[in-house]
Amino acid sequence: MDAQLRLPLVDALTEHIKRNPISFHVPGHKYGRIFPNSSGFFQAILQLDATELSGLDDLHAPDGVILEAEDLLTNLFQVKKSYFLVNGSTVGNLAMVMTGCSEDDIVLVQRNCHKSIINALQLAKATPIFIEPEYDPDGKVAAGVEVTTVNEALLLYPQAKAIILTYPNYYGMVYDLKGIIDVAHDRKIPVLVDEAHGAHFIVGGPFPKSAVSLGADIVVQSAHKTLPAMTMGSFLHFNSELLSNHKVKNNLEIFQSSSPSYPIMASLDIARHYLAAYREEDISYLLKKITEFKKQLKDISAIKVVDFHGDPLKITVQSRCRLNGFELQKELELRSIFPELADPNNVLFIFPLLKNGQEYLLEEAAAKIKRVLADLPFMEREVEYVMNEEKISRLAVSYQEMTRLTKKVISIEESAGHISAEQIIPYPPGIPLLLPGERITGQKLAQLQRLVELGARFHGGPFVKQGQIEVFHSYRT
Ligand SMILES: Cc1ncc(COP(=O)(O)O)c(C=O)c1O
């Protein structure tokens, strides 16, 4: 039998349950025997919720079925070492960044990154140099970074210790990652990639190439986002000549729970098996289903299906009617269609990674979407967005200094010259306008005020709606 068709952890758990174990160990629900009756649907999961017992191995020091399951993953991705993560890509990013940089190290960072990357940089007390992404005019969102911008940044900061990128973005858009990896590796600089949305890329075309096959040093993937894995189930792949795997392992021990969830780990075993068993006929079937679904959506005049270079599993539809993206999402949810997210212009659907012959409620979904949008007349929408003028930027205050400063909330109007103590991310296009430690320039202030006037939505910046912003106390120039 093909080794990849094995399920070592799932099999060990199944055998364990068959023994009808009498638990005098954690967790306290005792395989669901001590659990409120009203939650009957929990029982099946609780049966799997074991702990580090004989035969079930230990995630932090694996030498049995967890090691076997991780070895199969390592083998599938053809890397030096793959790890199961039980705390999402969040923990993978923390471990990855803490492995790639230390205090005061200069690191190049794609600016539209997940907050876990920013948090990790702060923990590492590194010195990030931010690289502005390009704006995608069709999707009206921030996309990827250009090789030329990375080259410029490397000329300015040849001492950079790592490059931290996000590939693909939330909408599935990709860019010339290989070009950046080549440039970096020529200078012996490791490339760390948050591939949270691309765990399925390894199945091959028409999916974009995975950061793993493009030669990245460490890659973190949320298996739970696009594969059949439980929420929080993720992978970290180490494949570097420049970094230490020992450090990755140590960081994962620091950041991951000492009581990792067996249902999550077993679902990672299943997700790896699912990927390994994904065949050409599955890809053809999936593409046919995606094309059919998109065709139905393309018939609706109130929306436009956005075409872009990237992941076919991500379907972005843009409003062409009086409703903005958030309102479209609400209307769909009223009819029990739940998209992944909305922004002011778009609604994003994540298509299931179907296998040949597998059915999903696509006809029903398309019919419902048509019904919801049928009476909305076509209307071209104007969109304002903000891009930072600086392609390459850095913090005005180091993370070390930030820990020593106090904060205060002031009016946005008088904030020019102060140092922001919070992250303010306007949507669109999802590029941070301000990060903690960045100076609020006159230009940024004007952008922020314009966005507030327009009623833009922000991630972070809890005071912005009241015309206020949190800044570091003793800094003003
Ligand atoms: C780009 C990116 N990286 C990392 C994460 C964190 O992933 P997780 O939810 O698996 O912790 C997310 C979550 O949405 C994300 O979008």
Side-chain angles (χ1 to χ4, degrees):
M1 180 174 92
D2 178 358
Q4 284 292 341
L5 298 182
R6 288 169 43 231
L7 286 161
L9 183 51
V10 173
D11 290 347
L13 263 180
T14 313
E15 282 308 308
H16 180 71
I17 295 160
K18 277 193 199 148
R19 293 174 67 190
N20 209 8
I22 301 171
S23 165
F24 287 101
H25 56 76
V26 298
H29 59 71
K30 312 291 178 195
Y31 299 101
R33 287 193 172 92
I34 312 293
F35 210 74
N37 283 337
S38 58
S39 309
F41 65 87
F42 252 111
Q43 293 304 322
I45 300 174
L46 295 178
Q47 289 242 309
L48 291 176
D49 193 24
T51 189
E52 290 85 0
L53 302 169
S54 303
L56 294 184
D57 210 358
D58 177 347
L59 179 68
H60 292 286
D63 60 5
V65 285
I66 293 179
L67 181 63
E68 268 184 67
E70 284 189 336
D71 280 351
L72 288 170
L73 184 66
T74 304
N75 192 272
L76 179 66
F77 277 84
Q78 295 285 297
V79 291
K80 291 182 193 293
K81 171 71 192 165
S82 294
Y83 294 91
F84 281 180
L85 309 178
V86 290
N87 302 77
S89 286
T90 297
V91 84
N93 283 343
L94 291 176
M96 173 172 81
V97 173
M98 294 292 281
T99 300
C101 58
S102 312
E103 191 160 347
D104 292 329
D105 278 354
I106 295 260
V107 285
L108 307 188
V109 184
Q110 181 171 339
R111 204 181 145 89
N112 56 335
C113 60
H114 188 254
K115 62 183 176 189
S116 53
I117 299 279
I118 300 291
N119 291 338
L121 289 166
Q122 200 155 357
L123 280 178
K125 299 194 174 88
T127 303
I129 305 299
F130 293 108
I131 302 180
E132 198 69 11
E134 299 304 305
Y135 176 68
D136 183 273
D138 287 331
K140 300 183 179 10
V141 292
V145 295
E146 298 234 310
V147 183
T148 46
T149 321
V150 172
N151 265 324
E152 274 171 46
L154 285 173
L155 280 179
L156 291 171
Y157 299 98
Q159 73 276 43
K161 288 287 194 315
I163 302 182
I164 304 171
L165 300 169
T166 305
Y167 168 102
N169 72 355
Y170 218 119
Y171 298 85
M173 295 164 180
V174 291
Y175 53 94
D176 184 9
L177 177 62
K178 176 79 171 72
I180 297 176
I181 292 174
D182 287 348
V183 163
H185 282 177
D186 276 352
R187 295 166 184 253
K188 302 264 179 289
I189 299 174
V191 179
L192 316 180
V193 181
D194 173 356
E195 197 175 50
H197 295 272
H200 56 297
F201 286 3
I202 200 78
V203 303
F207 293 105
K209 285 224 158 77
S210 164
V212 173
S213 30
L214 294 177
D217 291 75
I218 303 180
V219 180
V220 171
Q221 301 171 329
S222 292
H224 67 93
K225 289 195 197 294
T226 51
L227 305 180
M230 282 179 70
T231 294
M232 295 206 289
S234 297
F235 299 142
L236 183 147
H237 307 288
F238 175 87
N239 206 23
S240 184
E241 303 289 339
L242 303 166
L243 297 170
S244 149
N245 182 33
H246 178 71
K247 213 166 159 188
V248 173
K249 189 170 175 347
N250 194 35
N251 281 325
L252 286 175
E253 272 175 51
I254 294 171
F255 291 120
Q256 293 221 88
S257 169
S258 65
S259 309
S261 156
Y262 273 81
I264 293 177
M265 289 190 287
S267 78
L268 289 174
D269 204 16
I270 289 168
R272 185 271 314 150
H273 176 282
Y274 193 86
L275 271 181
Y278 210 82
R279 306 268 175 260
E280 278 300 322
E281 64 263 26
D282 299 319
I283 295 181
S284 310
Y285 177 79
L286 172 69
L287 285 183
K288 187 168 135 263
K289 289 288 173 188
I290 291 174
T291 309
E292 283 169 9
F293 187 65
K294 278 186 166 175
K295 191 163 173 291
Q296 306 241 37
L297 300 186
K298 281 178 182 166
D299 287 343
I300 307 171
S301 66
I303 51 173
K304 174 188 148 186
V305 179
V306 179
D307 277 320
F308 60 85
H309 174 51
D311 181 2
L313 276 194
K314 298 287 179 82
I315 300 177
T316 301
V317 300
Q318 205 160 81
S319 176
R320 286 283 187 271
C321 64
R322 67 180 161 74
L323 302 185
N324 65 32
F326 302 107
E327 291 164 339
L328 272 181
Q329 181 183 31
K330 269 207 190 106
E331 287 296 314
L332 293 170
E333 287 182 354
L334 284 175
R335 267 71 169 189
S336 298
I337 304 276
F338 290 91
E340 168 67 9
L341 63 74
D343 67 35
N345 312 299
N346 306 303
V347 169
L348 173 69
F349 299 100
I350 303 185
F351 208 83
L353 189 68
L354 297 174
K355 282 198 176 177
N356 193 13
Q358 210 171 352
E359 289 301 329
Y360 201 68
L361 304 164
L362 298 171
E363 287 293 325
E364 185 183 330
K368 279 188 173 175
I369 296 170
K370 276 187 179 163
R371 238 175 290 140
V372 173
L373 304 177
D375 298 331
L376 290 165
F378 173 85
M379 190 187 103
E380 199 62 64
R381 296 174 61 82
E382 280 295 306
V383 183
E384 290 219 27
Y385 61 90
V386 167
M387 293 293 293
N388 287 322
E389 277 173 6
E390 285 175 306
K391 277 277 178 205
I392 298 162
S393 62
R394 63 182 296 170
L395 299 177
V397 177
S398 71
Y399 287 127
Q400 289 91 324
E401 269 180 287
M402 277 185 232
T403 59
R404 293 191 286 271
L405 296 174
T406 52
K407 300 171 188 175
K408 64 176 177 180
V409 177
I410 61 170
S411 147
I412 287 179
E413 278 162 24
E414 55 192 59
S415 65
H418 284 272
I419 305 287
S420 175
E422 59 181 334
Q423 187 164 315
I424 297 183
I425 309 177
Y427 275 79
I431 304 173
L433 178 61
L434 283 168
L435 291 168
E438 279 188 324
R439 188 175 305 286
I440 307 169
T441 59
Q443 186 224 351
K444 286 199 172 167
L445 173 60
Q447 285 174 340
L448 182 55
Q449 285 174 318
R450 177 79 185 120
L451 285 168
V452 173
E453 252 173 59
L454 284 169
R457 290 171 65 109
F458 298 91
H459 283 193
F463 309 103
V464 167
K465 277 215 170 105
Q466 294 107 56
Q468 294 180 311
I469 183 168
E470 190 170 46
V471 296
F472 286 110
H473 199 28
S474 42
Y475 262 90
R476 199 192 151 88
T477 51

